[in-house]
Amino acid sequence: MHAVSYTAQWMAAARAQESEREDALFTDPLARDLAAPKGFELIERYAGGGLLPFISIRTKYLDDAIRGILAEGGIQQVVLIAAGMDTRAFRLDWPDGTELYEVDHGPLITEKRRRLDALGAEPRTDRREVSADLTQDWLPTLEAAGFDRTRPTLWVAEALTFFLTDEQAAGFLRLLASASAPGSRLAFDILGRALLRSPFSKPFLDTLAADGTPWIFGTDEPEEFLTANGWKAVDVSEPGQPGAGQGRWPYDVQPRNRRGANRLWLIRAEIAAS
């Protein structure tokens, strides 16, 4: 499997470890089977730096964002972009009528389907697989699967923007905005730019780069980044804050006015009014 697919196994392994804690933030009973063959090996390779707590906190934050946004009503169309080995279709409770699209490259989707079928896993909503190259124009493929850009959408992009250039990250948000009807929402995460230059992060970042999956994009001004690309921030949180893993983050949350702090942003946004 491609190196980026191995990162999906790494995330699955992290979810499996969280699920086995007594104080687990969530439970993912399928994660351990989806983590093979590289997932737990990569946990050891990328150990340190608060990464495992962040993955758990991010998963919980996005779970809560999905539940909360759908509970408001008005959205029945959800798109998981670069879904990887995500199992939200199988472990979350979904409102009746929800259509869930999982977008990723074909070989990963095929392998994921094989494993899920072997486990007898059944989705809890209308789950639709979309095999697409995210480096190309993938929206027509999504629409061919039933996606309707005239209906409000909840887009979820977990651990995706890290691997993009600045231009690609901005273009990604603009692309989503172009396909978003009024009332559409977005839940995702972004790195802080300072983290990408931090001596504390350098050994881990160097290992990622050596493995062919470098982290590239970050911003220390997430609200401005959203506004410039068609979105309005509804919530911008950092790990350790209320609603974002308070009590589970091993570091102090730094004041927003402290320049140069290492940051990880957890974000909910809405489509900007035209």
Side-chain angles (χ1 to χ4, degrees):
M1 296 180 70
H2 188 272
V4 173
S5 298
Y6 287 133
T7 66
Q9 296 171 21
W10 169 29
M11 297 298 105
R15 292 196 304 273
Q17 287 197 351
E18 175 65 29
S19 299
E20 292 160 6
R21 290 177 59 121
E22 291 186 1
D23 61 346
L25 296 176
F26 57 86
T27 301
D28 185 346
L30 300 171
R32 182 164 286 274
D33 290 287
L34 296 177
K38 288 277 191 178
F40 292 99
E41 174 186 326
L42 290 174
I43 282 182
E44 295 299 321
R45 181 163 172 77
Y46 302 141
L51 196 62
L52 282 179
F54 174 64
I55 294 170
S56 295
I57 290 167
R58 177 180 64 197
T59 301
K60 172 65 171 169
Y61 180 90
L62 294 177
D63 285 356
D64 290 346
I66 292 168
R67 292 188 186 101
I69 290 168
L70 295 186
E72 295 172 6
I75 295 180
Q76 292 186 304
Q77 187 169 249
V78 181
V79 182
L80 306 183
I81 309 163
M85 293 296 184
D86 183 279
T87 63
R88 290 185 171 95
F90 302 85
R91 64 180 180 81
L92 297 185
D93 293 323
W94 298 87
D96 290 344
T98 303
E99 297 171 4
L100 178 65
Y101 298 86
E102 294 189 10
V103 185
D104 217 316
H105 62 97
L108 188 151
I109 285 179
T110 299
E111 175 62 16
K112 181 177 177 180
R113 183 191 313 125
R114 183 190 69 79
R115 297 188 191 191
L116 291 171
D117 287 349
L119 295 169
E122 294 290 341
R124 299 183 180 184
T125 192
D126 179 1
R127 172 180 176 264
R128 305 183 186 185
E129 298 173 340
V130 182
S131 299
D133 183 348
L134 291 168
T135 66
Q136 305 297 322
D137 184 8
W138 52 273
L139 283 177
T141 307
L142 179 62
E143 289 177 303
F147 173 81
D148 183 353
R149 66 173 65 212
T150 69
R151 298 167 56 202
T153 303
L154 168 57
W155 306 94
V156 182
E158 186 172 18
L160 173 60
T161 60
F162 304 3
F163 303 100
L164 307 179
T165 64
D166 289 17
E167 181 180 353
Q168 288 170 335
F172 172 67
L173 289 198
R174 291 195 298 270
L175 178 68
L176 298 188
S178 74
S180 292
S184 292
R185 304 288 289 273
L186 170 64
F188 74 131
D189 57 325
I190 309 179
L191 298 171
R193 186 175 294 276
L195 185 147
L196 295 172
R197 301 190 296 264
S198 168
F200 175 76
S201 307
K202 189 176 188 305
F204 165 70
L205 295 174
D206 287 349
T207 303
L208 280 176
D211 289 350
T213 53
W215 285 3
I216 300 171
F217 173 72
T219 179
D220 291 329
E221 299 177 339
E223 293 90 351
E224 290 83 350
F225 174 67
L226 286 161
T227 299
N229 294 294
W231 295 89
K232 177 183 177 182
V234 174
D235 177 70
V236 176
S237 294
E238 296 182 63
Q241 292 182 327
Q246 186 177 34
R248 283 288 301 273
W249 185 238
Y251 307 103
D252 293 333
V253 180
Q254 300 300 315
R256 278 295 297 266
N257 61 2
R258 181 184 172 189
R259 300 182 62 83
N262 290 343
R263 301 190 188 277
L264 297 153
W265 308 111
L266 299 166
I267 298 172
R268 304 181 199 189
E270 61 188 9
I271 191 69
S274 57

